Amino acid sequence: TMDVYQEAWNGYHILHGDGPKSWEPPYYQSAYKKDDIKFIRWFGDYFGIVKGYIDHPPLFSIFVGIIPTISGAKDYLDCRLTTINLIPILFSTLTIILVFLVSYKIYQSNTISIIASLLYATVPLFVAAGRIAKGDCLLSLVLITGILCVLKYIESQKKIFVIFAGLLAGMSFWSKETGISAMIILPLLLGRKGFVKEACIIAGIGFLLAASYLLYNYLINSEAFFKMLALRNKDHVTVFNIVLRYIKESRLAQIHANFGIGYLLWFWFVMFYSLGKSDSNVPITVFIF
């Protein structure tokens, strides 16, 4: 997929002081000035490289750009799969361990925790998402760490876990757009246990960090910022209509089915399965996400 270069090229340019700059797919290029778009041909495909790139959060991009930089890449086109995929492999491997720890906190069972880790390590959807340079693998790491902090606070009452959970809630949005859900998930998991004040602290810290990401986009490219919001809204409405059709027609797959529909199938299964268990952390988290 071209998308993995999108993340790596953006990170490379940020690390080299050029500001956010990367490949932008055709349907979002209209948000940028024509003077800020340069077309190149690489490996047989055309790439529109834009300055002031704000399509995706920069945090994962920066991590992905580190290995090519260390390995001596002289230009962003030197960011190859052999280097840019090392970071997602590292993040997703760490997440396997986190899945075990969170599962054990919830169910207090080595058997369930080992099975949960094995599922995360082998289900094709998560293997694919965790082995390519897209923000999903960082979001998983950050969100599940946040859930672990919430569970640790419930157990120990140490305030440091509330601070960490708030920072991770905001950082989730800097990792991938869908990370905005962490600002509901983490406070809710804590608040429903009676820690309302602490839940508000998490939400407050998370909101400030999330707002700083929107401010970052505005400062980088104010003109493209508002145009991008409109294009994103139109795109998300289209996706939402696909999801509604998927639910109403009750079909396992259809013409519009894509990678995201696979996530939905998995999440519906997990949610309904876990509803029958004694703890509601899992179905709540899945439903909100």
Side-chain angles (χ1 to χ4, degrees):
T1 171
M2 288 176 167
D3 291 351
V4 298
Y5 296 113
Q6 191 178 40
E7 299 278 13
W9 292 352
N10 187 41
Y12 181 91
H13 283 119
I14 291 173
L15 290 172
H16 284 76
D18 302 326
K21 180 179 176 183
S22 190
W23 167 68
E24 186 67 88
Y27 41 87
Y28 288 142
Q29 285 177 13
S30 60
Y32 300 86
K33 296 177 183 177
K34 288 185 178 180
D35 292 341
D36 290 338
I37 306 173
K38 174 188 175 183
F39 290 94
I40 65 164
R41 187 172 176 82
W42 195 59
F43 282 114
D45 281 308
Y46 282 100
F47 293 80
I49 310 299
V50 300
K51 290 192 292 185
Y53 170 86
I54 57 170
D55 190 356
H56 289 299
L59 186 58
F60 179 68
S61 296
I62 292 170
F63 282 116
V64 174
I66 290 173
I67 302 297
T69 300
I70 292 175
S71 63
K74 301 299 182 185
D75 185 77
Y76 69 96
L77 293 180
D78 294 329
C79 298
R80 302 301 172 89
L81 296 177
T82 49
T83 54
I84 65 180
N85 283 342
L86 292 176
I87 289 295
I89 288 172
L90 171 64
F91 286 164
S92 57
T93 302
L94 292 174
T95 306
I96 294 170
I97 300 170
L98 275 173
V99 168
F100 176 89
L101 295 175
V102 169
S103 181
Y104 190 81
K105 284 288 181 189
I106 294 173
Y107 297 111
Q108 298 296 308
S109 167
N110 278 321
T111 302
I112 291 176
S113 302
I114 290 169
I115 291 172
S117 299
L118 288 172
L119 281 171
Y120 189 85
T122 57
V123 169
L125 274 170
F126 298 111
V127 172
R131 294 299 187 271
I132 60 173
K134 293 296 292 177
D136 303 76
C137 57
L138 178 58
L139 175 58
S140 299
L141 183 65
V142 171
L143 177 56
I144 296 175
T145 304
I147 293 172
L148 182 61
C149 286
V150 168
L151 297 175
K152 293 278 283 184
Y153 178 76
I154 293 170
E155 179 184 74
S156 69
Q157 314 271 302
K158 291 182 178 179
K159 301 294 185 184
I160 190 67
F161 291 117
V162 173
I163 304 299
F164 281 148
L167 292 172
L168 290 163
M171 197 185 299
S172 293
F173 195 39
W174 278 86
S175 304
K176 193 174 176 72
E177 293 88 339
T178 44
I180 196 76
S181 60
M183 287 192 292
I184 303 172
I185 292 169
L186 300 185
L188 182 59
L189 292 182
L190 192 57
R192 58 189 290 275
K193 293 293 185 180
F195 301 103
V196 178
K197 178 184 175 182
E198 291 82 353
C200 290
I201 292 173
I202 291 175
I205 295 172
F207 175 79
L208 289 174
L209 267 179
S212 70
Y213 168 59
L214 296 177
L215 180 62
Y216 161 86
N217 284 331
Y218 177 78
L219 293 175
I220 290 296
N221 198 332
S222 58
E223 185 176 336
F225 175 66
F226 294 106
K227 291 180 180 178
M228 184 65 76
L229 284 178
L231 290 169
R232 283 284 192 183
N233 182 59
K234 182 180 177 182
D235 186 41
H236 289 152
V237 168
T238 301
V239 172
F240 183 69
N241 289 333
I242 292 172
V243 172
L244 287 180
R245 178 181 169 190
Y246 155 75
I247 294 171
K248 287 189 293 185
E249 295 186 8
S250 301
R251 292 167 62 182
L252 205 61
Q254 54 184 282
I255 294 171
H256 297 287
N258 53 33
F259 195 69
I261 298 298
Y263 275 122
L264 281 173
L265 287 171
W266 175 258
F267 285 151
W268 280 115
F269 168 76
V270 169
M271 189 168 68
F272 282 118
Y273 176 80
S274 58
L275 278 172
K277 305 301 176 184
S278 58
D279 194 285
S280 54
N281 281 305
V282 175
I284 286 174
T285 300
V286 170
F287 180 76
I288 293 172
F289 186 84

